[in-house]
């Protein structure tokens, strides 16, 4: 399968650290890994590329002992080994930083780290070791802080330090930069390069091709559970890498050049909202106008007030001042969700399963839930018109390419990307005049993401106002006409996309645009220094 | 002093079964399992403790029997909820109903029989000190065990690695599994510990509190223990305060009623509940502490995706 790549420099002469030989993993009917081969050498940063569902996660979970392969061998430094559980993997020298962190929110940093270390670890000496390792690699950490209080960038540092304390020979990183500011990502790359120079191999999973080109010497590309290619990413272009991943040219997003903006359809004026729990974010004096015909993107690192902002606009939380939120010329601050929908607004929350859709409900019933108030055909004097909902579900399925194994399945049986297409399609199908969407393509593969983004732009060009909240900067740039940045509950003024450089966004994400930047938050201050 | 001593003694007697059952449930819940069957495990412990004591003549054998009876019930609960992944709330309720029925059947032969009381552990010298000795140091072994358990559970949860693992499993079972901890094993052990403690609490009722077997003699104490765990926000020392407060107010209101205070008896009977709620709400004011101590995975089933 693998073609002989261009001879590459760096680690190619290094001894082989680990080899996966013809690994297969079957989940019921599905073959998640089909005779996968992978070779990692000491001291190399090796990229594992592929779309969602390509089998990357399955493969690394097998390497980390969290899953057991159906067939195939793992050869570690020349010996075939059996990795029965994560503890075995750690003893061998495999460390893993998870995409959705495997941290315990209610425990301290030191407790979180202790849980991953061998049983005989001296817990009293641990805080000192944490501090010394975190200093050595430039990853500042307070061992006594509670995880729930920490921003996501710092949480990732905990995971990394936890791995480093085990002195790993192979560090697996699953989508590490998806939650970081560009500056934090730069810091991470420095750490990784330093580790590699000390001989630690790094298996780097990402779908951000420019990062892979920047730091990786080798790349293995997977598609549909198989390895389809192996190459030196530095010799490729992003387009050629994307082609290998998707197996076809990725649909390029087109935006009609002329934007005819009309009236403001979303207006936020001095929007204030107190935090609703100890770990919530308070929204402070948010001002924003989104005009008919444009897409405004709100960038920001996770948990800086995005969900609170979404809740305030959608009506999941109501605000004191009626005029603070104005949709289509109507002050709606105290209105619930359905009255806002009736005005012509549509909302897609971040969490598709459980929030955007009821997991155990069929898709047609999920259509019913967000649309009964706006579609007279769905409800006749309180009686549900199931047939009409099923028709809508069919239409959404066809128009937005939602793939399902049988007709009208339960929401939970769809893959993440397909469910997202359904949830977005359900709202777009209404032809709303205002669309607010939080994390439109989180965890969605490139093909589906392109489809969703294109649909959002097309909607705006028909005269709707579209507000996209996303942590993915590439996405923000792809869809937005204007960009604002949210940081600790404050929103920067929205500026045209062509004047918002990545550096500027990064600075704003790190809190440089806030009115009172407090120096107390260690994580933010660190990002600002970088 | 002569009036105070018996009151204090009854307060200890009233509080100990609550404390025993609640400290066990605290560990169970810290591991992320909600076992609403405390009442059922208690009453089976009570009947088995009484039966074995009556047959063997040794109340100490009875105490051991009550403990194992509680564990057997907990094992059943663990098998249903952890292996077969039945709903924890429904299974817990069923366990209570089963326990009440089963104890009635097992105990039929013992109704009306005189029981043997668990003897007071006489500590030479100390137990004779006036007041302190005669009240605090002239108790049966289960009182000392209950207090030692609170200290031990506190130390275990917050100072040992095994306790850390229990808290981790209760906080995020997916992460704990990803790190290689056996979620099911940890939860089984926690459920069994909870069963043992509930069984002991039941044994205390039929061997100390009223040394005889009466059907339904737990009289809702299992539910109070469950409530105390939640109100104490899963902290052992607060649990101690809550259990003794409840015990104290229920004894005192009884004496007040007997003394003829002109308040309606229904109001007086409600006092222990009111007082406990008020005090525990006040000490639970700090939301951050409550949140940090609430097992986030409580009641959620776990199936490893291996």
């Amino acid at each position: 399968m693998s073609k002989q790549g261009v001879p590459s420099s760096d680690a190619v002469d290094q001894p082989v650290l680990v080899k996966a030989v013809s690994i297969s993993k079957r989940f019921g009917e599905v073959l998640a890994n089909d005779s996968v081969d992978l070779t990692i050498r000491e001291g190399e940063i090796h990229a594992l590329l592929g779309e969602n569902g390509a089998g990357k996660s399955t493969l690394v979970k097998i390497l980390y002992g969290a899953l057991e392969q159906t067939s195939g061998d793992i050869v570690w430094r020349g010996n075939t080994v059996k990795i029965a559980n994560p503890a075995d993997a750690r003893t061998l020298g495999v460390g893993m930083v998870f995409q959705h962190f495997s941290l315990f929110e209610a425990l301290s940093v030191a407790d979180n780290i202790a849980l991953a270390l061998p049983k005989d670890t001296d817990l009293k000496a641990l805080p000192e070791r944490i501090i010394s390792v975190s200093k050595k690699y430039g990853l500042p950490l307070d061992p006594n802080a509670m995880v729930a209080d920490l921003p996501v960038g710092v949480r990732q540092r905990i995971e990394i330090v936890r791995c480093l304390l085990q002195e790993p020979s192979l560090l697996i990183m699953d989508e590490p930069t998806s939650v970081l500011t560009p500056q934090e990502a730069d810091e991470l790359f420095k750490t990784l390069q330093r580790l590699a120079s000390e001989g630690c191999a790094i298996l780097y999973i990402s779908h951000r091709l420019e990062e892979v080109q920047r730091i990786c010497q080798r790349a293995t590309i997977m598609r549909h559970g198989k390895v389809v290619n192996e190459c030196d990413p530095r010799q490729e272009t992003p387009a050629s890498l994307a082609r290998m991943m998707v197996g076809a040219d990725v649909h390029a997003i087109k935006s009609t050049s002329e934007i005819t903006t009309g009236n403001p359809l979303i207006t936020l004026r001095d929007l204030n909202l107190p935090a609703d729990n100890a770990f919530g974010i308070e929204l402070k004096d948010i001002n924003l106008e989104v005009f008919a015909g444009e897409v405004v993107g709100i960038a920001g690192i996770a948990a800086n007030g995005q969900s609170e902002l979404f809740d305030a606009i959608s009506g999941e939380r109501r605000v004191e001042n009626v005029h603070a939120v104005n949709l289509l010329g109507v002050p709606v601050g105290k209105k619930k969700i359905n009255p806002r929908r009736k005005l012509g607004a549509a909302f897609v929350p971040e969490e598709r399963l459980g929030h955007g859709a009821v997991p155990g409900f069929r898709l047609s019933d999920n259509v019913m839930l967000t649309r009964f108030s706006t579609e007279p055909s769905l409800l006749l004097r309180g009686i549900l018109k199931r047939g009409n909902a099923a028709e809508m579900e069919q239409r959404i399925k066809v128009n937005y390419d939602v793939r399902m194994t049988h007709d009208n399945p339960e929401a939970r049986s769809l893959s993440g990307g397909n469910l997202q297409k359904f949830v977005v399609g359900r709202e777009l199908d209404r032809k709303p005049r205002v669309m607010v969407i939080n994390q439109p393509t989180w965890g969605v593969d490139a093909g589906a993401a392109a489809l969703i983004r294109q649909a959002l732009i097309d909607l705006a060009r028909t005269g709707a106002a579209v507000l996209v909240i996303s942590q993915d900067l590439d996405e923000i740039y792809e869809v937005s006409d204007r960009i604002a940045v949210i940081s600790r509950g404050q929103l920067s003024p929205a500026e045209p996309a062509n004047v918002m450089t990545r550096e500027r966004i990064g600075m704003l994400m790190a809190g440089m645009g806030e009115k009172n930047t407090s120096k107390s938050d260690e994580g933010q201050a660190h990002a600002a220094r970088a | 002093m002569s009036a105070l001593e018996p009151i204090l003694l009854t307060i200890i007697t009233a509080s100990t079964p609550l404390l025993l059952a609640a400290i066990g449930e605290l560990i169970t819940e810290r591991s992320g399992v909600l076992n609403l069957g405390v009442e059922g495990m208690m009453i089976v412990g009570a009947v088995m403790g009484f039966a074995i004591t009556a047959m063997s003549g040794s109340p100490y054998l009875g105490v051991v029997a009550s403990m194992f009876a509680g564990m057997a019930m907990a094992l059943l609960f663990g098998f249903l909820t952890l292996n077969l992944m039945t709903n924890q709330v429904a299974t817990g309720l069923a366990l209570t109903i089963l326990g009440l029925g089963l104890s009635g059947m097992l105990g039929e032969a013992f109704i009306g029989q005189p029981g043997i009381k668990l003897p007071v552990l006489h500590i030479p010298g100390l137990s004779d000190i006036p007041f302190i000795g005669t009240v605090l140091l002239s108790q049966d072994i289960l009182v000392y065990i209950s207090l030692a358990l609170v200290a031990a559970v506190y130390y275990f949860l917050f100072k040992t690695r095994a306790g850390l693992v229990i808290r981790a499993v209760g906080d995020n079972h997916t992460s704990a599994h990803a790190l290689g901890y056996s979620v099911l094993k940890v939860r089984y052990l926690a459920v069994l510990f909870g069963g043992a403690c509930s069984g002991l609490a039941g044994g205390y009722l039929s061997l100390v509190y009223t040394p005889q077997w009466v059907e339904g003699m737990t009289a809702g104490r299992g539910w109070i223990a469950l409530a105390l765990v939640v109100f104490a926000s899963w902290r052992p020392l607060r649990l101690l305060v809550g259990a003794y407060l409840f015990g104290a107010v229920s004894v005192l209101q009884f004496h007040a009623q007997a003394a003829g205070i002109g308040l309606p008896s229904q109001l007086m009977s409600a006092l222990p509940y009111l007082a406990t709620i008020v005090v525990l709400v006040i000490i639970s004011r700090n939301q951050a502490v409550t949140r940090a101590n609430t097992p986030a995975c409580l009641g959620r089933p776990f199936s490893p995706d291996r």
Side-chain angles (χ1 to χ4, degrees):
Chain A
M1 269 293 177
S2 65
K3 90 178 175 195
Q4 286 303 311
V6 213
S8 93
S9 55
D10 306 288
V12 82
D13 309 323
Q14 293 289 322
V16 171
L17 175 70
V18 61
K19 224 175 160 134
V21 185
S22 170
I23 296 276
S24 293
K25 174 68 185 177
R26 181 178 285 281
F27 292 107
E29 297 282 289
V30 187
L31 202 53
N33 274 185
D34 185 358
S35 309
V36 171
D37 292 313
L38 176 72
T39 303
I40 302 171
R41 292 168 187 280
E42 286 176 19
E44 82 174 346
I45 306 185
H46 191 118
L48 189 57
L49 288 171
E51 289 195 285
N52 291 98
K56 296 168 302 193
S57 297
T58 306
L59 180 61
V60 297
K61 278 183 184 162
I62 290 170
L63 285 175
Y64 188 62
L67 285 175
E68 201 176 347
Q69 69 266 34
T70 313
S71 64
D73 289 313
I74 295 167
V75 182
W76 181 267
R77 296 193 204 274
N79 305 315
T80 304
V81 288
K82 187 173 172 354
I83 305 179
N85 55 50
D88 278 6
R90 289 195 294 263
T91 319
L92 219 51
V94 183
M96 177 153 176
V97 174
F98 293 88
Q99 178 184 8
H100 306 293
F101 303 136
S102 64
L103 295 177
F104 304 95
E105 298 223 344
L107 304 182
S108 72
V109 170
D111 281 348
N112 267 280
I113 292 175
L115 281 163
L117 298 179
K119 273 192 179 132
D120 50 13
T121 311
D122 180 3
L123 294 182
K124 289 224 173 68
L126 190 58
E128 244 168 71
R129 281 177 67 199
I130 293 170
I131 290 167
S132 83
V133 167
S134 69
K135 267 200 193 125
K136 183 175 166 199
Y137 290 97
L139 302 160
L141 270 186
D142 171 10
N144 297 318
M146 194 154 88
V147 172
D149 299 333
L150 299 174
V152 74
V154 181
R155 293 186 188 200
Q156 186 179 53
R157 274 184 235 154
I158 305 175
E159 291 251 353
I160 297 173
V161 169
R162 177 153 88 175
C163 288
L164 295 183
L165 278 171
Q166 299 159 39
E167 289 157 12
S169 322
L170 172 64
L171 185 61
I172 303 171
M173 306 214 68
D174 195 356
E175 303 266 357
T177 54
S178 56
V179 291
L180 302 182
T181 62
Q183 285 86 351
E184 283 177 318
D186 284 343
E187 287 287 304
L188 173 70
F189 296 154
K190 277 187 214 147
T191 308
L192 294 184
Q193 272 156 349
R194 166 148 189 202
L195 275 169
S197 71
E198 290 173 2
C200 176
I202 292 157
L203 183 58
Y204 190 89
I205 304 173
S206 181
H207 58 245
R208 296 196 178 170
L209 301 173
E210 54 169 65
E211 279 174 21
V212 166
Q213 287 192 299
R214 194 169 137 196
I215 62 164
C216 299
Q217 289 101 45
R218 301 287 308 163
T220 297
I221 294 130
M222 293 184 72
R223 188 163 74 230
H224 301 314
K226 290 185 183 145
V227 171
V228 291
N229 215 326
E230 215 191 306
C231 63
D232 180 346
R234 293 167 299 184
Q235 310 282 337
E236 304 287 335
T237 63
S240 67
L241 285 172
R243 211 159 32 237
M244 291 179 212
M245 274 167 60
V246 184
D249 284 303
V250 176
H251 170 74
I253 307 264
K254 290 190 296 285
S255 166
T256 42
S257 53
E258 49 194 297
I259 305 156
T260 44
T261 50
N263 301 321
L265 297 185
I266 306 174
T267 309
L268 306 179
R269 195 169 299 130
D270 299 326
L271 169 63
N272 286 289
L273 190 66
D276 60 348
N277 64 58
F279 302 104
I281 305 289
E282 180 191 355
L283 297 180
K284 287 170 235 159
D285 298 325
I286 290 194
N287 283 290
L288 179 71
E289 279 186 319
V290 185
F291 295 92
E294 71 167 349
V295 181
V296 171
I298 294 184
I301 313 161
N304 267 282
Q306 286 96 330
S307 359
E308 286 82 358
L309 181 61
F310 178 88
D311 289 353
I313 303 177
S314 69
E316 288 195 35
R317 289 182 62 198
R318 273 152 276 162
V319 291
E320 279 298 305
N321 177 0
V322 189
H323 295 282
V325 183
N326 186 308
L327 297 178
L328 298 124
V330 182
V332 293
K334 285 192 187 298
K335 283 195 161 67
K336 292 188 189 178
I337 301 182
N338 273 334
R340 298 187 198 205
R341 284 187 180 132
K342 282 183 183 155
L343 292 172
F347 311 101
V348 181
E350 174 179 8
E351 189 198 352
R352 54 189 158 243
L353 202 60
H355 196 169
V358 181
F361 274 24
R362 291 180 181 283
L363 294 183
S364 61
D365 288 343
N366 272 301
V367 168
M368 193 69 89
L369 285 174
T370 65
R371 296 185 54 181
F372 72 89
S373 69
T374 53
E375 307 286 332
S377 68
L378 287 180
L379 205 59
L380 183 69
R381 287 184 219 93
I383 311 289
L384 302 177
K385 294 295 201 184
R386 282 238 156 79
N388 292 339
E391 250 169 53
M392 264 180 211
E393 184 255 340
Q394 281 297 319
R395 191 167 69 214
I396 295 163
K397 172 183 153 185
V398 174
N399 290 348
Y400 297 95
D401 185 32
V402 184
R403 292 172 209 170
M404 41 189 92
T405 47
H406 59 276
D407 234 26
N408 202 5
E410 289 182 359
R412 75 167 120 234
S413 70
L414 293 189
S415 74
N418 271 316
L419 183 59
Q420 186 69 17
K421 283 192 275 185
F422 169 77
V423 171
V424 176
R426 175 178 65 184
E427 302 308 317
L428 288 173
D429 184 65
R430 283 176 53 198
K431 305 200 168 45
R433 295 201 56 216
V434 162
M435 177 83 166
V436 184
I437 183 163
N438 193 359
Q439 297 279 51
T441 60
W442 187 79
V444 168
D445 65 49
L451 188 136
I452 290 172
R453 290 170 192 165
Q454 184 67 57
L456 291 174
I457 293 173
D458 292 348
L459 176 72
R461 299 307 174 249
T462 64
V466 178
L467 182 62
V468 174
I469 303 171
S470 176
Q471 289 158 36
D472 183 344
L473 264 189
D474 296 333
E475 171 166 272
I476 293 274
Y477 276 116
E478 244 174 77
V479 300
S480 309
D481 303 311
R482 290 190 299 142
I483 298 173
V485 177
I486 193 165
S487 169
R488 279 191 279 174
Q490 298 187 31
L491 190 70
S492 75
E495 291 177 43
N498 52 14
V499 305
M500 283 290 243
T501 58
R502 271 173 197 271
E503 287 66 33
R504 181 154 165 66
I505 290 184
M507 298 302 261
L508 290 168
M509 280 179 170
M512 299 304 277
E514 291 171 21
K515 279 168 198 148
N516 337 296
T517 311
S518 100
K519 295 285 173 212
S520 62
D521 191 316
E522 185 264 329
Q524 299 285 358
H526 175 76
R529 263 201 316 279
Chain B
M1 179 180 128
S2 53
L4 200 58
E5 255 181 44
I7 293 181
L8 286 176
L9 280 170
T10 35
I11 287 174
I12 293 176
T13 316
S15 308
T16 299
L18 298 176
L19 188 59
L20 275 170
I23 199 76
E25 179 69 10
L26 186 141
I27 287 284
T28 303
E29 292 192 10
R30 275 279 184 176
S31 81
V33 181
L34 180 65
N35 186 351
L36 295 182
V38 175
E39 181 89 359
M41 299 188 294
M42 258 174 104
I43 192 109
V44 173
V47 74
M48 287 307 287
F50 186 88
I52 296 299
T53 305
M55 290 192 284
S56 69
S58 159
Y60 287 105
L61 265 183
V63 166
V64 174
S66 65
M67 187 174 87
F68 278 104
M71 282 172 86
M73 294 286 282
L75 190 67
L76 175 66
F77 177 84
F79 177 70
L80 290 171
T81 56
L82 300 177
N83 290 104
L84 304 183
M85 301 223 291
T86 58
N87 180 294
Q88 292 180 8
V89 171
T91 310
L93 293 174
L95 195 71
T96 290
I97 297 167
L98 170 71
L100 290 169
L102 188 66
S103 63
M105 190 181 81
L106 294 173
E108 221 181 340
F110 300 98
I111 293 176
Q113 276 195 26
I116 305 172
K117 197 174 172 183
L118 193 64
V120 164
L121 225 52
H122 191 86
I123 309 167
L126 294 180
S127 298
D128 303 324
I129 305 170
F131 198 69
I132 292 180
T134 46
V135 175
L136 299 179
L137 298 171
S138 311
Q139 296 292 340
D140 55 82
I141 187 163
L142 281 176
V143 172
Y144 300 128
I145 286 181
S146 73
L147 296 172
L149 269 178
V150 173
V153 162
Y154 175 83
Y155 184 82
F156 172 78
L157 271 182
F158 300 108
K159 308 283 175 198
T160 70
R161 186 186 170 89
L164 177 61
V165 172
I166 287 200
R167 285 188 288 140
V169 167
D171 185 52
N172 187 340
H173 51 215
T174 317
S175 294
H177 177 70
L179 287 179
Y181 291 100
S182 169
V183 174
L184 287 196
K185 191 176 121 196
V186 170
R187 291 197 168 158
Y188 250 112
L189 293 174
V191 165
L192 285 177
F193 179 79
C197 289
S198 286
L200 282 181
Y204 188 85
L205 291 176
S206 66
L207 297 172
V208 180
Y209 196 80
T210 46
Q212 52 182 319
W213 167 246
V214 181
E215 215 175 300
M217 70 186 298
T218 42
R221 286 189 183 82
W223 298 109
I224 293 172
L226 271 165
L228 283 173
V229 175
V230 179
F231 276 114
S233 46
W234 295 270
R235 315 256 324 166
L237 301 182
R238 288 183 181 184
L239 191 67
L240 179 69
V241 173
Y244 268 81
L245 182 79
F246 188 90
V249 180
S250 33
V251 168
L252 291 176
Q253 64 88 14
F254 197 70
H255 283 273
Q257 277 193 48
I261 286 186
L263 284 170
S265 65
Q266 291 88 342
L267 182 69
M268 297 299 289
S269 309
L271 264 187
Y273 303 91
L274 291 175
T276 311
I277 288 172
V278 167
V279 169
L280 289 172
V281 162
I282 291 169
I283 60 177
S284 308
R285 248 177 335 175
N286 189 338
Q287 286 293 312
V289 174
T290 307
R291 199 172 152 135
N293 284 292
T294 307
C297 282
L298 188 61
R300 280 169 45 198
F302 175 73
S303 64
D305 58 349
R306 201 176 168 89

